[in-house]
Amino acid sequence: MTHPGVPLRVVSYNIHGQRDDTAALAAVIREAAPDVVIVQEGPRRFRWREKSATLAASFGLVVAAGGLPALGNLLLTSLRVRVVDTRCRRFPLTPGRHLRGAAYADCRVGTSAWFTVAGSHLSTDAAERPGQAELFRRDVAAAPYPVIAAADLNEEPGGPAWTTVARGLTDAAVAVDRGERFTYSCADPRRRIDALFVDPRITVIDYDVVDTPLTRRASDHFPVLVDLLLPAAG
């Protein structure tokens, strides 16, 4: 007996530390109506728990994982998603550089569709990125369920860190022939540095880089919006 897939809508978004138009930011997410939002540059300092909860509420979502323990990587979900386990990682610090990390959550939709969501934000330093990418890849490879991994890689396709993270996964943009869509910057879009990869068992239905007047006010990155079909267990 075959089991139908379960739809899931995911947004990956570098929100620029909420330094832009926060009302526009909230409107962008509410209009997209995602099940999961993978945030880069979320709250990570003083009162980060309260700030993360406030951000999630402005989106109509709840906090699943991340924040300070993941150095600003934050995973948010709708009430449709049940989070069953979470973990965070901090990458080794290179003196003089910013701390970086990653957040992970094992989740379930309904009774049969299990998945692991992973989010990270790699260094702007080309010498530091590959090591962080390898740690992120190892975590993703060890995930107990089919993975949805999104990150601001600070690097374009073909680079060493991008290639490392992408190993064994499907680039959602390429899967639906949208690899030419740039994600950064909103002021002058010339680079695709925000990536979303999925386990080959997950079907990519649609992919979009949302370029609207609202998204141009909300952050310096465009959000990546992906519709997926999760495999349903027997």
Side-chain angles (χ1 to χ4, degrees):
M1 178 179 178
T2 60
H3 296 267
V6 176
L8 190 81
R9 173 166 282 193
V10 180
V11 168
S12 179
Y13 205 172
N14 183 322
I15 64 171
H16 199 209
Q18 297 173 264
R19 295 194 293 272
D20 302 295
D21 186 331
T22 55
L25 179 64
V28 167
I29 297 298
R30 285 184 174 270
E31 185 173 314
D35 299 297
V36 174
V37 178
I38 303 166
V39 174
Q40 300 90 40
E41 293 195 28
R44 58 178 287 179
R45 293 186 177 90
F46 180 65
R47 294 170 55 203
W48 65 270
R49 289 184 181 86
E50 178 183 340
K51 291 176 181 177
S52 296
T54 299
L55 176 69
S58 76
F59 293 168
L61 303 171
V62 297
V63 176
L68 175 61
L71 301 169
N73 295 287
L74 190 64
L75 306 179
L76 310 177
T77 63
S78 72
L79 296 180
R80 178 172 175 254
V81 177
R82 180 181 175 187
V83 178
V84 297
D85 194 20
T86 66
R87 51 208 170 271
C88 296
R89 172 192 280 279
R90 294 187 177 195
F91 300 135
L93 174 64
T94 301
R97 300 293 179 184
H98 291 296
L99 282 165
R100 303 280 180 170
Y104 309 90
D106 300 326
C107 306
R108 188 183 79 198
V109 176
T111 59
S112 62
W114 294 80
F115 65 98
T116 297
V117 59
S120 189
H121 184 187
L122 303 190
S123 176
T124 57
D125 184 344
E128 192 175 32
R129 276 196 304 273
Q132 296 175 349
E134 179 60 29
L135 291 173
F136 187 52
R137 185 202 68 81
R138 289 179 191 175
D139 289 344
V140 166
Y145 305 111
V147 169
I148 300 162
D152 175 354
L153 295 176
N154 270 312
E155 184 176 284
E156 294 172 80
W162 184 294
T163 301
T164 294
V165 175
R167 192 179 308 149
L169 300 174
T170 300
D171 183 332
V174 173
V176 291
D177 199 25
R178 303 270 173 80
E180 80 290 348
R181 299 292 304 275
F182 299 130
T183 66
Y184 181 81
S185 72
C186 290
D188 184 19
R190 294 188 179 191
R191 305 178 70 201
R192 182 163 79 97
I193 63 174
D194 303 276
L196 191 142
F197 304 104
V198 298
D199 184 289
R201 290 170 288 180
I202 297 174
T203 303
V204 181
I205 302 300
D206 199 13
Y207 170 100
D208 193 20
V209 176
V210 185
D211 181 354
T212 68
L214 273 178
T215 60
R216 286 179 177 257
R217 298 204 309 269
S219 177
D220 61 340
H221 289 243
F222 293 116
V224 172
L225 173 63
V226 183
D227 284 304
L228 303 171
L229 203 62
L230 301 173

